[in-house]
């Protein structure tokens, strides 16, 4: 099996599971308990928090553990929007992940917020942020890297523009961790979301970076865990696994350099091998590990099945739309018509994807196309 | 070690971890992915959901997996309150868990809800529900069993009263699972919260029963997982662990009968051995596995330490208030003064707690009191 669906989910790293193991077995204390078993769990949680913070060049007090990227996005957007008394205006883009779009929809429906959607070019790059900002703009939320087409946003620059007008900035970094350096001090963002299962930690692990003293209304209210921002008995094991998986990542720059070269070779080979292939997203300003195409005249679903028969596991787009038959909202937002969008296939790589894997994938793709003739 | 803090958290059952194992290792698919790896994860999730539903005599479509009891309470309360157009009035009691109280506080602060608090007797039993209900009452939320003093509420009866006036009924069953039969068809409730780590599933697992066709506004918006009510890539492993841990529970009636007898013997012995002990909560209408006391004139924290030195692990009350120095809100709500409330100690048993464990605990308690003289 050649697994090229790493943007959907990744295998748990054995070291992450091993590090979590004691906290699933003998060390089962509740971190809030006032006895040794509880104190040890509390210490493990604090240690995991410090390690996650270090990865992002943040303070430990700025890391909130959550149950995943979607929860992090909701807390980073709804939480900040409800706590910021400035106004009810938010700026975003229609290529964001559903976790962002549906959080914004909730703020519109239930809390009367207004959303300004930034213009997008054919590659999924935004423009016009400065013009979209108002005195009552509470928040700007734009992702680091798109999960379907891989296009990158210049977060530090966008964040500076938002801050100059007094708006907060949240970014969904779920797809970027391990591929683009996420130094929050350099990015300047007020909140940043990550999801463990995208980089070798288990499903159900995640975190939100929230810059010191930024007020947020919790999504989940209760006993006051996670500095009052995310109540509920802490999932110590998954916090430890998350920290461990982060530390095991190759430095982003090194991983990016190697895999970006593989990606470029792969894109070239696919465009050569299949004349009806069209690259989606930006040709160069994109995640090193995502190569995404539309294959004019071919059903993405059918192609996915043919590739799977040949041992190559890919996706027809985002896994997160839960088996929906709708064309990708990302592709339609960048001007691709619904019919062509139905032909989308995303190849997403891991740190250990090899040149040989990708040669084999191109071979499988060519043979699949032979079958369609 | 004699662990008598099972109401705070429980060890994960090895069988639950073993059942989860494939979904943490080779079977790492995203349940939304349209390939075999994803389909198998989706099937495992569906199977777990059916098994959890069976435990509660519910339909599979009525089970929503969450990250724990606190999230379940928030979704069951905030989610129902925001989706029910009837009005902005809720009825509850001040002895509820912080997850309930803080959800209600949020609805008051942010959404303008009004809360009516039911009268409580000295044992923590509520009265006056019928009189508290109004035409605009959206929801009644009352727990099955109190987590600090163990007192039980007659849920089926309270629920029928609420329904007769058209209000929905949510119950926090976090402490009751495994001890009091939670047959939702018999209880009649619209929503019921459970937390995996209270009965041998891992921390970070939980579920909400939501009766068919009951509308709810999600807390966590996104890709539409869990029937649109709880977005985010599903934690398949913990769903499987939760289902497995539930099935491993001794039938509630059998466990209750055995342990209630131990509890009664224990309470008698404690009252004999320590003249300043006062039982909190109802003498008989209480969870089989909670024996809770105030020890007039003795610091609960100091006693906890003395017991721990002797290998007996207990709690000074709820673990969920995260090391707070405040007296228990439950004890003050039932009329115990703040000073006496600071002397609280809770002993909470497991299905496998033995008579010998409890004799040893009484012995440790007597010796600890010797030391205080």
């Amino acid at each position: 099996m050649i697994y090229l669906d790493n943007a959907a989910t990744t295998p748990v790293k054995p070291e992450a599971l091993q590090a979590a193991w004691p906290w699933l077995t003998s060390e089962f204390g509740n971190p809030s308990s006032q006895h040794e078993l509880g104190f040890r769990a509390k210490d493990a949680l604090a240690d995991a928090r410090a390690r996650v913070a270090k990865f992002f060049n943040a303070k430990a007090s700025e890391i909130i553990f959550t149950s995943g990227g979607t929860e992090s996005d909701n807390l980073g957007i709804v939480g900040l929007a409800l706590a910021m008394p400035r106004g009810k205006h938010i700026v975003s883009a229609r290529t964001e992940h559903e976790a962002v779009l549906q959080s914004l929809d909730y703020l519109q429906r239930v809390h009367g917020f207004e959303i300004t959607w930034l213009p997008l070019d054919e590659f999924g790059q935004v423009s016009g942020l400065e013009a979209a900002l108002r005195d009552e703009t509470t928040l700007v939320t734009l992702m680091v890297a798109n999960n379907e087409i891989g296009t990158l946003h210049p977060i530090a620059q966008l964040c500076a523009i938002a801050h100059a007008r007094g708006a907060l900035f949240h970014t969904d970094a779920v797809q970027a961790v391990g591929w683009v350096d996420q130094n929050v001090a350099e990015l300047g963002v007020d909140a940043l979301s990550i999801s463990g299962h995208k980089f070798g930690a288990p499903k159900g692990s995640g975190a939100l970076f929230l810059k010191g003293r930024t007020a947020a209304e919790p999504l989940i209210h209760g006993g006051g865990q996670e500095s009052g921002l995310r109540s509920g008995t802490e999932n110590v094991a998954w916090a430890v696994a998350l920290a461990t998986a982060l530390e095991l990542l190759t430095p982003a720059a090194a991983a990016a350099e190697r895999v970006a070269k593989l990606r470029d070779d792969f894109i070239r080979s696919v465009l050569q091998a299949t004349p009806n292939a069209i690259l989606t997203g930006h040709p160069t300003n994109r995640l090193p590990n995502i190569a995404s195409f539309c294959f004019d005249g071919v059903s993405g679903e059918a192609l996915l099945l043919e590739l799977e028969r040949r041992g190559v596991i890919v996706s027809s787009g985002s896994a997160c739309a839960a088996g929906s038959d709708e064309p990708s909202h990302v592709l339609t937002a960048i001007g691709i018509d619904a019919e062509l969008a139905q032909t989308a296939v995303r190849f997403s790589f891991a740190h250990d994807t090899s040149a040989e894997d990708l040669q084999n994938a191109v071979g499988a793709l060519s043979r699949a196309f032979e079958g369609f003739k």
Side-chain angles (χ1 to χ4, degrees), chain A:
Chain A
M1 178 174 93
I2 302 174
Y3 183 73
L4 301 180
D5 198 14
N6 292 281
T9 194
T10 60
V12 182
K13 291 178 183 170
E15 299 91 333
L17 208 46
Q18 197 175 356
W21 191 249
W23 311 101
L24 294 172
T25 51
S26 57
E27 294 291 346
F28 64 88
N30 183 326
S32 298
S33 286
Q34 299 297 303
H35 46 62
E36 282 300 325
L37 201 62
F39 297 150
R40 290 197 299 269
K42 189 180 178 181
D43 288 349
L45 190 68
D47 180 63
R49 196 185 309 282
R51 290 158 64 198
V52 173
K54 192 174 172 198
F55 184 91
F56 292 99
N57 191 23
K59 298 191 192 98
S61 59
E62 296 174 319
I63 302 297
I64 304 159
F65 287 113
T66 69
S67 69
T70 293
E71 185 188 336
S72 297
D73 279 340
N74 277 253
L75 180 56
I77 294 169
V78 176
L80 264 60
L82 294 186
M84 173 83 164
R86 197 160 183 250
K88 294 200 167 187
H89 179 242
I90 296 179
V91 178
S92 187
R94 295 212 187 264
T95 45
E96 292 291 309
H97 189 274
E98 286 291 347
V100 170
L101 297 179
Q102 296 302 322
S103 293
L104 295 175
D105 174 71
Y106 166 75
L107 286 170
Q108 280 185 296
R109 278 190 295 115
V110 177
H111 296 274
F113 277 71
E114 188 191 341
I115 317 296
T116 295
W117 303 104
L118 291 180
L120 290 158
D121 67 14
E122 62 183 303
F123 304 122
Q125 299 177 128
V126 293
S127 58
L129 175 57
E130 197 158 1
L133 295 167
R134 307 178 191 164
D135 289 344
E136 72 269 23
T137 306
T138 294
L139 183 71
V140 176
T141 177
L142 291 166
M143 68 209 315
V144 179
N146 188 274
N147 56 311
E148 295 191 30
I149 57 175
T151 299
L152 300 168
H153 285 148
I155 296 301
Q157 186 186 324
L158 294 165
C159 180
I161 295 170
H163 282 175
R165 281 295 293 272
L168 295 173
F169 197 99
H170 165 263
T171 191
D172 172 338
V174 165
Q175 288 295 340
V177 172
W179 299 106
V180 182
D181 190 32
Q182 299 303 308
N183 181 325
V184 292
E186 286 176 10
L187 293 173
V189 296
D190 302 289
L192 179 145
S193 303
I194 66 166
S195 171
H197 79 100
K198 304 292 190 185
F199 54 82
K203 293 170 184 61
S205 67
L208 179 73
F209 158 77
L210 190 65
K211 192 153 71 184
R213 294 165 201 250
T214 308
E217 176 71 37
L219 299 174
I220 301 177
H221 301 82
Q225 290 88 346
E226 299 292 317
S227 308
L229 289 167
R230 204 284 182 185
S231 289
T233 299
E234 301 91 335
N235 187 343
V236 180
W238 276 190
V240 171
L242 186 82
T244 306
L246 278 177
E247 288 174 350
L248 288 166
L249 289 170
T250 317
E257 194 179 349
R258 192 187 76 84
V259 178
K261 202 187 153 304
L262 293 182
R263 176 203 64 193
D264 291 340
D265 291 346
F266 179 74
I267 290 173
R268 240 187 325 268
S269 301
V270 169
L271 294 175
Q272 277 170 7
T274 54
N276 45 356
I278 300 155
L279 180 72
T280 58
H282 197 278
T284 55
N285 181 32
R286 63 186 298 140
L287 274 182
N289 69 320
I290 291 188
S292 52
F293 304 90
C294 287
F295 292 96
D296 197 3
V298 175
S299 149
E301 288 295 334
L303 186 52
L304 193 149
L305 279 172
E306 286 301 314
L307 287 172
E308 187 171 9
R309 286 209 312 133
R310 292 169 171 84
V312 179
I313 312 299
V314 300
S315 161
S316 58
S318 159
C320 302
S324 157
D325 282 339
E326 296 292 304
S328 148
H329 75 273
V330 173
L331 298 180
T332 52
I334 61 171
I336 292 176
D337 69 50
E339 199 180 339
L340 184 57
Q342 298 279 19
T343 72
V345 175
R346 176 186 67 185
F347 302 81
S348 51
F349 315 144
H351 280 195
D352 61 359
T353 298
S354 68
E356 195 190 347
D357 289 339
L358 297 187
Q359 282 155 14
N360 289 335
V362 173
L365 192 65
S366 301
R367 288 193 298 282
F369 270 87
E370 289 295 321
F372 286 139
K373 276 181 186 162

